[in-house]
Amino acid sequence: MERGLQAGHCSPSFDGLGGFRRSLAIQRSSTGRGGDRRLCVVAVARPMGASTASVGEKRGPKVVVVGGGWAGFGAARHLSQEGYDVTLLDAAPNPGGLSAGWQTEQGRTVEAGMKGFWYQYHNIFALARELDIDWPFTEFTRSGFWSPEGLSVEGPVFSQLPKLPTLLGQFVHTTRLFRRVPLADQLTMFNMLYPVVDYDSTQKVYEKYDKMTARELFRQFGISERLYNEFLKPLLLVGLFAPPEEISAAAMIGTMYFYALAHQQDFDICWCKGSVSERLFQPMVESIRAAGGVVQGSRVVVGVDIDSAGTVEGVVVKDTTTDRESRIEADAVILAISIKGMQKLISMNSILATRPEFIKIMNLKGIDVIATRLWFDKLVPTQFPSNVLSGFEQGVGGTFFNLNVLQDEYKDSEGTVIAADFYHSNTLMPRTDADVVKLVKSCLASCEPGFESANVIDSKVLRFYGAVTHFSPGSYESRPSQKTSFDNLYLAGDWVRDVPHGANGLSQERAYVTGLLAANMVIDKLGAGRPATILDVEPDEPHIAALKAVNRGLKSQLEGMGLTSPLI
């Protein structure tokens, strides 16, 4: 018996599969604005609590899902609805609930980090409708990009503007919104068209881009220093949580394409009207339980049984409230945990250390994050409900959000409530809570002078070491696929590779989709139930699709002749 996996919450999320005997159901969707979004009907959708298993009916194969969050809850929910005997294990006392979170000294509850929901999050928006809950999302919001010199860029709501072909639409609608970037500098962004078309044309090409840094790519393709410093660097510090010189060029392009470049409206973002835990995770947990699944908190997996044929037979679980251990049999196991959790598992399980895909995971790294929440003694209006901070601390990206505007709980507050997060926060981690709060207030006052005379009456500072995935240059090779060399052990999370879906980067949508894909792999393996239908992102626009097709053909021919492109 191999020992030692802690089934903790996935790290806070800040916003080559193949061989299926059943074809993966991918459907496209049409979209409208905010709560008016229209999605195609999902064939497997049922009312909350519906199950294929009748009361008293024997449940199907046993599946253990380790870790909550979008991936774990998504996998457990679908499998339980398909009649599987599902047990979800999580170290938090109340998986999916805020009682497992944090409180200020005055007893106010705090959720770590703000999570954005982008225009192409079709599956999460569909889930909200399946759960039959009050619509949990705001309308799409405008955003501001700030530096110590003031407002740099304003982000509009693109879906409210006339639709133009991608790249042209983004350029036309934002030209006047760049406050300190001249038109000539903005035009250099069009130089990125070739890398966008080229970066995933073949596997070899992708790996070449992955080994470059984003900073090197911007230089090679003549991106203006002004545009880089005022917009692209701040965007990556809060989008991939590291400076461009520490980010894989391939990961950067894929993320920017998904979030901003594939279609004019992709950059549109909305927010949960309350905590994600209460508005979305708790209903998902209720849905799992109503369908016959078991969700257990305060559970740590301390052992994994794997037979000589490479099949997982069960897990050993420790109840952290009693220190008692018990064994749960399993016909399949899904690990929906963070890189840190996987690395701990690998370090303590010698059989995993014999498999190349697990050994490579040890090369991956995480990025430090600080999440804060501040309560002020008076109302201070802000120009934008969501904001990006850059240049206030060297190498650190930041965001701040006016919760009085975004969350129902604070609509009628007498004072302003601000959530502010810092990414790649290595240099901030040793600072005291008081110093971090002082930094937040200083940044706020630089952007909105009204905060200079406002006093902080309550606050919370949370530190997370190595909390989010670092897509560093060359990291693609070390990231695992969802299907492992153990025939009934699967991985899920936004950090896995080769996901046959357009959601890229560090994405709640990507995490949720990998949970559904892992559930489909279990169904394919064990032969019971229907696979989840998954909504893909909107297809490439015709001009991009045509350019990609031509480039892919050329690159394939060059590789066939043993040649490489001189451009990259």
Side-chain angles (χ1 to χ4, degrees), residues 4-5 337-366 469-470 472 474-480 491 495:
L5 166 62
I337 56 179
S338 67
I339 288 175
K340 288 178 66 176
M342 284 300 307
Q343 290 175 337
K344 182 173 182 179
L345 165 65
I346 295 161
S347 296
M348 301 181 69
N349 287 257
S350 60
I351 193 168
L352 296 182
T354 66
R355 305 296 175 102
E357 76 268 31
F358 288 99
I359 286 297
K360 289 181 179 180
I361 292 174
M362 301 304 291
N363 293 326
L364 300 175
K365 300 175 182 178
T469 306
H470 186 188
S472 58
S475 59
Y476 174 81
E477 183 181 0
S478 295
R479 290 163 56 199
L491 307 179
W495 57 280

Side-chain angles (χ1 to χ4, degrees), residues 169-225:
Q170 290 93 322
F171 175 75
V172 168
H173 295 314
T174 60
T175 297
R176 62 182 178 82
L177 302 179
F178 280 85
R179 306 300 174 88
R180 296 199 305 276
V181 182
L183 178 61
D185 296 272
Q186 296 178 42
L187 285 170
T188 64
M189 190 63 189
F190 282 99
N191 297 348
M192 288 298 294
L193 177 60
Y194 179 76
V196 164
V197 167
D198 184 55
Y199 84 105
D200 60 351
S201 54
T202 70
Q203 184 68 25
K204 289 183 178 179
V205 169
Y206 185 92
E207 290 174 359
K208 288 181 68 175
Y209 277 93
D210 182 62
K211 292 175 182 177
M212 291 181 66
T213 71
R215 184 68 179 113
E216 289 170 339
L217 187 73
F218 290 144
R219 284 192 175 122
Q220 181 170 335
F221 283 88
I223 298 299
S224 150
E225 285 294 307

Side-chain angles (χ1 to χ4, degrees), residues 265-534:
Q265 70 275 14
D266 287 349
F267 199 63
D268 288 356
I269 186 170
C270 61
W271 310 90
C272 189
K273 294 178 181 177
S275 75
V276 172
S277 296
E278 291 179 336
R279 296 296 183 98
L280 289 161
F281 285 172
Q282 284 185 359
M284 288 178 75
V285 169
E286 292 168 6
S287 178
I288 293 167
R289 287 171 170 158
V294 175
V295 179
Q296 295 183 342
S298 301
R299 297 297 190 273
V300 174
V301 174
V302 295
V304 179
D305 286 338
I306 301 175
D307 68 17
S308 58
T311 299
V312 176
E313 297 181 323
V315 297
V316 178
V317 184
K318 181 177 181 180
D319 184 331
T320 59
T321 63
T322 64
D323 284 338
R324 294 179 180 175
E325 292 186 2
S326 59
R327 186 180 185 277
I328 301 176
E329 294 182 353
D331 296 301
V333 172
I334 297 172
L335 300 177
I337 56 179
S338 67
I339 288 175
K340 288 178 66 176
M342 284 300 307
Q343 290 175 337
K344 182 173 182 179
L345 165 65
I346 295 161
S347 296
M348 301 181 69
N349 287 257
S350 60
I351 193 168
L352 296 182
T354 66
R355 305 296 175 102
E357 76 268 31
F358 288 99
I359 286 297
K360 289 181 179 180
I361 292 174
M362 301 304 291
N363 293 326
L364 300 175
K365 300 175 182 178
I367 297 171
D368 295 344
V369 178
I370 288 180
T372 74
R373 189 162 296 187
L374 280 64
W375 283 259
F376 289 88
D377 62 354
K378 71 175 189 176
L379 287 173
V380 180
T382 59
Q383 294 183 56
F384 309 98
S386 58
N387 301 268
V388 174
L389 300 168
S390 178
F392 292 90
E393 290 286 330
Q394 181 66 32
V396 178
T399 52
F400 77 87
F401 307 89
N402 187 335
L403 300 189
N404 302 71
V405 176
L406 297 176
Q407 296 194 350
D408 293 343
E409 178 183 354
Y410 303 112
K411 294 287 187 185
D412 299 321
S413 294
E414 295 181 357
T416 301
V417 184
I418 295 291
D421 305 324
F422 294 102
Y423 316 106
H424 197 254
S425 58
N426 317 41
T427 58
L428 303 184
M429 303 304 268
R431 297 192 187 182
T432 66
D433 287 0
D435 284 340
V436 172
V437 169
K438 184 178 179 181
L439 171 63
V440 174
K441 189 174 184 297
S442 173
C443 292
L444 292 173
S446 178
C447 304
E448 304 286 359
F451 282 102
E452 291 181 0
S453 59
N455 298 308
V456 178
I457 59 174
D458 201 5
S459 64
K460 187 67 176 180
V461 176
L462 302 169
R463 296 170 179 80
F464 303 97
Y465 293 88
V468 294
T469 306
H470 186 188
F471 291 126
S472 58
S475 59
Y476 174 81
E477 183 181 0
S478 295
R479 290 163 56 199
S481 299
Q482 289 196 257
K483 204 169 187 178
T484 73
S485 57
F486 298 99
D487 63 2
N488 64 340
L489 177 64
Y490 308 96
L491 307 179
D494 61 5
W495 57 280
V496 299
R497 64 182 248 184
D498 302 331
V499 178
H501 190 272
N504 279 307
L506 293 164
S507 159
Q508 294 177 97
E509 175 81 351
R510 183 179 174 87
Y512 179 56
V513 166
T514 64
L516 297 181
L517 287 168
N520 287 350
M521 290 177 174
V522 170
I523 289 170
D524 185 67
K525 169 68 178 175
L526 301 180
R530 293 173 294 178
T533 299
I534 298 172

